Each structure stands twice: as C-alpha cells, then as structure tokens.
C-alpha cells in the first residue's frame, strides 16, 4: 500500500522528467518544417520566373546534328558550366555520334562530351595511354576511350554499397565489365583487350590505383556524403596520376546561391566558394587547375528550369532541393614535380 501510494505521488515528477526529450522532439520537428518551408519558397520564387517551356521551335528536334569529322581544338581551355551554346558547336555533334547518343539538350550528354573533349585536346586519348574512370555506372566513356586504344580501368561501388548510395533503383550502377560493353562505340575485341573493371569506393580509393595518364568521373562525386568528401576525392584522384596527368570531373553545381546549399546528404550541391577553395588547395600542392568560366548561359534553354519529374529534353538546369542546379566540369593537371 505504501509503495502504491508513493508511486502515485511521484508519477507527476516522472512525467516532468520526460518533458525535455519531448520538447527536443518538437524542436526538431519545427526545425524540419522551417527547412522545408524555405526550400519550397526558393522553389516557388525561381519556378514562377522560369517554369514555362520555351517554344517548341527552340528545343524540339533541336539542336541540329552538324557534319563534323574531327573533334574541336582548344574548346575547353577553361573549366566550364553546361550551357546551351555548347550544343550548337561541331565538336558537340562529333562526340555525340562517337558516344552513340542522340543529340538533345540534356546536361548528362554535356558531361560526357565535356570529359571526352577536354581529355582529347590534351592529347591523352591515344593508344598506349592509361585511363581511370570513377563511378562509371553504365556511361559510354570507358568504351569510347578503349576504342582509341587507351587501357582503361573502370571502377564503381561494390554491390553492398549501391543501395545506400541510391544508384540501384535508377539503374546507374555498373556491376561489372559487361555493363560497360557498347559495340556501337567500341568493337568487342578492342573492348575486351583494353577494359578492366574493379570495385572502388570513391571515399577510400585503393593505394594501388596509380600511374595513370588521366582519370575522370561524370556526376558521381556529389554522392559521396558531403561537400568535403567530394573535394577530398578530387584531391585523391590527382594522386592516381603520373606527373603531368589530367583529372577531369563533372558534378552538381548550385547556380542560385553561394551561401545556402545542400550538404551532408545523399546528393550535395557545390557552390562557387567550394570550388574556388578546392582550386587553392590543389595549387598549394603544386597542381594546376584550369580557370573556371562561371558564365551560366543566357539562351532560352539555359533559362528554362526543369522540375521533378524531370524531362529528357530540355534539361540543362533543374530544381533540386530548392536550388537551381546544373552540371559543371573541372580540369586539373597534376604537377610535374609532385
């Protein structure tokens, strides 16, 4: 009886002891709602100005596929951002054909062309060279480089990590060498001779992946868990190269803000300040970083903002987590004395 009476007396105090945790849960819920509200507000502000599709004549069946028999020269002396005007150049039609793709206004196609053109004009896409691809998924670049006689090491995340990274559901993961075979881009005999496949966690690149003439990744490093992890990966990728070798990477770029962004999530958005800080870190180590062309483009397709569910065409800029984003390409040369 005494114990039961004591329990009744103390019960209000037990309830009070649980209040701090309840207040903390409410505070977390309010914080999430505030973040969501700011995200939706940014989306609405940008979407109202840019939501309308350009006229069909601007993008449907455009741009025209030009007659180009050779790549361009000195096209990407600078690092650059995806822009509509790139799609109208002869080199873009050349690489679109070589990649076995259809010409359309899509930033993923721009990424493939950027990587191919940037490496080609630096003279490393030739027989006897070695190339290293990170997070290759099912992209055609490994087959393209193999068709030029390059010995390619293609890498992707091991199967036990793809669900966490979110690539399984979107069919963006390469489970092995066969996922990269593309007889339109590279004859099977050349592919078999020139391509090897390895699993690789981009946050923990194996120490024996060294001695390459070039390396690349196409929109993979934004999925490494944070902005800092993405920047650290780029630094690490340069260490895989021979002195004078080239690293060419594309990633997600936050066009709308140099302050607010998305970090520490499955997909992060790099800001100008992040990439400028990376360039400084690399230069301190003795590497050369191509100057960035920050022009986002002023064409009608440049100004169109694609919203989920995303279109196949046009799709140069998109709304992601409340920010306007596009693809950006980064070019780094390993220092000759490093």
């Amino acid at each position: 009886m005494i114990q039961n009476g004591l329990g009744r007396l103390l019960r209000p105090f037990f309830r009070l002891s649980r209040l701090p945790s309840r207040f903390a849960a409410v505070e977390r819920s309010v914080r999430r709602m505030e973040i969501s509200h700011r995200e939706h507000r940014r989306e609405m502000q940008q979407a109202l100005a840019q939501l309308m599709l350009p006229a069909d004549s601007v993008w449907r069946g455009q741009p025209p596929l030009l007659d180009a028999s050779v790549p361009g020269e000195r096209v990407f002396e600078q690092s650059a951002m995806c822009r509509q005007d790139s799609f109208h150049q002869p080199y873009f039609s050349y690489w679109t054909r070589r990649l076995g793709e259809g010409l359309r206004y899509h930033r993923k196609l721009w990424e493939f062309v950027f990587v191919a053109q940037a490496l080609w004009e630096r003279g490393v896409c030739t027989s006897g060279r070695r190339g290293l691809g990170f997070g290759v998924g099912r992209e055609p670049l490994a087959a393209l480089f193999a068709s030029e006689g390059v010995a390619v090491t293609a890498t992707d995340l091991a199967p036990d990590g793809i669900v966490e990274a979110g690539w399984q559901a979107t069919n963006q993961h390469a489970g092995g060498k066969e996922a990269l075979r593309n007889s339109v881009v590279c004859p099977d005999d050349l592919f078999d001779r020139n391509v090897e496949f390895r699993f690789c966690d981009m946050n923990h690149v194996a120490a024996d992946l060294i001695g390459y003439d070039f390396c690349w990744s196409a929109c993979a490093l934004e999925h490494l868990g944070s902005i800092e992890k993405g920047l650290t990966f780029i630094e690490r990728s340069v260490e895989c190269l021979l002195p004078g070798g080239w690293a060419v990477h594309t990633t997600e770029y936050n066009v709308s803000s140099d302050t607010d962004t998305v970090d520490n999530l499955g997909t992060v958005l790099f800001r100008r300040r992040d990439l400028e800080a990376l360039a400084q870190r690399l230069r301190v180590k003795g590497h050369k970083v191509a100057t960035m062309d920050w022009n986002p483009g002023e064409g009608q397709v440049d100004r169109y903002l694609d919203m989920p569910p995303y279109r196949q065409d046009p799709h140069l800029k998109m709304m992601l987590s409340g920010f306007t984003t596009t693809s950006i390409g980064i070019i780094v040369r390993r220092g000759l004395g490093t």
Side-chain angles (χ1 to χ4, degrees):
M1 293 290 292
I2 294 174
Q3 289 180 341
N4 290 339
L6 184 61
R8 285 194 296 272
L9 286 171
L10 293 177
R11 193 172 297 133
F13 295 99
F14 292 146
R15 292 196 187 102
L16 286 173
S17 69
R18 290 195 293 268
L19 282 177
S21 62
R22 291 179 179 176
F23 286 144
V26 171
E27 185 179 4
R28 287 194 297 270
S29 178
V30 171
R31 190 178 301 117
R32 285 195 295 268
M33 287 189 291
E34 289 176 344
I35 293 171
S36 178
H37 173 71
R38 289 197 296 270
E39 178 178 315
H40 291 314
R41 184 176 179 181
R42 287 194 300 267
E43 289 179 347
M44 289 302 298
Q45 288 174 336
Q46 297 174 66
L48 287 174
Q50 299 173 286
L51 188 57
M52 295 299 294
L53 266 173
D56 281 6
S57 59
V58 172
W59 63 272
R60 196 177 294 279
Q62 299 293 326
L65 191 62
L66 303 177
D67 184 14
S69 58
V70 294
E73 295 182 6
R74 304 180 67 177
V75 174
F76 290 120
E77 293 186 289
Q78 295 180 305
S79 301
M81 207 179 305
C82 176
R83 293 201 304 262
Q84 179 183 350
D85 59 7
S86 297
F87 291 75
H88 294 263
Q89 306 305 315
Y91 76 85
F92 208 99
S93 289
Y94 173 85
W95 288 116
T96 297
R97 287 194 181 93
R98 289 292 311 276
L99 291 162
E101 298 280 336
L103 187 54
R104 64 199 185 283
Y105 290 118
H106 199 288
R107 66 195 188 95
K108 180 58 71 175
L109 177 60
W110 179 88
E111 291 169 27
F112 295 157
V113 171
F114 176 85
V115 172
Q117 176 64 43
L119 290 170
W120 176 272
E121 62 188 69
R122 284 160 177 81
V124 291
C125 297
T126 58
S127 181
R129 299 285 192 157
R130 299 179 69 216
L132 172 62
F134 292 101
V136 295
R138 297 174 180 270
E139 67 189 30
L141 289 170
L144 175 71
F145 297 138
S147 74
E148 295 293 332
V150 175
V152 174
T153 301
T155 71
D156 210 344
L157 194 62
D160 58 0
I162 64 174
V163 175
E164 182 180 350
W167 293 340
Q168 186 179 48
T170 55
N171 198 32
Q172 295 180 37
H173 179 260
K177 180 174 175 176
E178 285 304 309
L180 305 173
R181 187 182 298 276
N182 188 329
S183 57
V184 173
V185 177
C186 180
D188 286 341
D189 60 335
L190 276 179
F191 181 85
D192 291 331
R193 186 186 316 147
N194 291 331
V195 177
E196 67 170 353
F197 181 86
R198 286 181 56 173
F199 291 119
C200 175
D201 181 346
M202 293 167 63
N203 282 319
H204 305 283
V205 177
D208 64 334
L209 287 173
I210 55 175
Y212 291 89
D213 296 287
F214 68 89
C215 67
W216 85 90
S217 70
C219 256
L221 61 94
E222 67 272 16
H223 301 301
L224 299 184
S226 71
I227 287 174
E228 178 56 34
K229 286 181 178 179
L231 302 182
T232 299
F233 160 73
I234 294 178
E235 290 184 281
R236 174 68 184 92
S237 76
V238 177
E239 296 171 358
C240 298
L241 305 173
L242 294 167
W246 296 92
V248 178
H249 300 288
T250 66
T251 191
E252 300 279 3
Y253 177 67
N254 185 343
V255 179
S256 55
S257 178
D258 195 31
T259 54
D260 297 331
T261 196
V262 180
D263 198 358
N264 298 296
L265 290 176
T267 300
V268 303
L269 304 179
F270 294 89
R271 300 160 295 187
R272 178 169 178 165
R273 62 166 63 181
D274 302 316
L275 300 181
E276 289 178 337
L278 170 68
Q280 179 60 27
R281 285 159 58 168
L282 289 166
R283 288 171 181 139
V284 166
K285 292 183 175 182
H287 309 310
K288 295 184 178 180
V289 183
T291 303
M292 180 64 71
D293 178 359
W294 297 108
N295 178 9
E298 294 297 332
Q300 292 186 59
V301 181
D302 288 316
R303 293 193 295 269
Y304 170 64
L305 184 62
D306 198 11
M307 303 282 287
Y310 300 119
R311 303 173 58 91
Q312 287 299 310
D313 184 19
H315 179 79
L316 301 190
K317 290 185 176 66
M318 58 185 276
M319 180 68 72
L320 183 61
S321 299
F323 295 99
T324 298
T325 69
T326 191
S327 300
I328 197 165
I330 303 158
I331 303 170
V332 183
R333 190 180 193 190
R334 179 165 181 167
L336 294 175
T338 63

